[in-house]
């Protein structure tokens, strides 16, 4: 059974930093893309950042230059280093992982971790 276990969320003041981690386990397939999304009540879940198996990254314009996504393939882990946090970064952050099998991809989500940035 595939599991994505997130950690690192919490309460931080504006201008501060947090580091999120997500460990993927339980799949026999290779991990393709890993990423982070966030959601606030009443709004759609939005992309924060993704990283491909080769290390290529993609960021939402709102976090470019402040957040850094990275991964450790040996540990099946993706990280999100968040800096210069703003109150509008508040939300539930979800880890997303796509496993690649021949002819098909499998997408999984973590349970979410709350990030709250106070002004």
């Amino acid at each position: 059974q595939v599991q994505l276990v997130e950690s690192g969320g919490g309460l931080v003041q504006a201008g501060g930093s947090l580091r999120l981690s997500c460990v993927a386990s339980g799949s026999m397939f290779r991990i393709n893309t890993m990423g982070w999304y966030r959601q606030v009540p009443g709004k759609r879940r939005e992309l924060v950042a993704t990283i491909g198996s080769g290390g290529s990254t993609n960021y939402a314009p709102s976090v470019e230059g402040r957040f850094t996504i990275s991964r450790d393939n040996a540990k099946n882990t993706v990280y999100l280093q968040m800096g210069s946090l703003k109150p509008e970064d508040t939300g539930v952050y979800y880890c997303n992982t796509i496993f690649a099998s021949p002819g098909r991809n499998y997408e999984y989500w973590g349970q979410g971790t709350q990030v709250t940035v106070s002004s």
Side-chain angles (χ1 to χ4, degrees), residues 9-62:
L11 173 64
V12 64
Q13 287 189 331
S17 299
L18 279 176
R19 188 192 195 208
L20 305 183
S21 301
C22 173
V23 182
S25 63
S27 174
M28 69 179 71
F29 299 122
R30 176 182 62 86
I31 295 177
N32 191 347
T33 302
M34 305 185 83
W36 292 94
Y37 292 71
R38 68 186 177 195
Q39 189 169 23
V40 297
K43 292 190 176 182
R44 295 178 63 180
R45 190 172 298 185
E46 63 176 4
L47 178 145
V48 176
T50 61
I51 183 167
S53 57
S56 60
T57 58
N58 179 46
Y59 295 93
S62 61

Side-chain angles (χ1 to χ4, degrees), residues 15-18 38 48 59-69 80-89 93 117:
S17 299
L18 279 176
R38 68 186 177 195
V48 176
Y59 295 93
S62 61
V63 307
E64 185 90 50
R66 299 188 297 120
F67 292 9
T68 301
I69 189 170
L80 185 68
Q81 180 66 48
M82 304 185 292
S84 301
L85 282 161
K86 304 175 181 180
E88 51 264 43
D89 294 318
Y93 283 69
V117 184

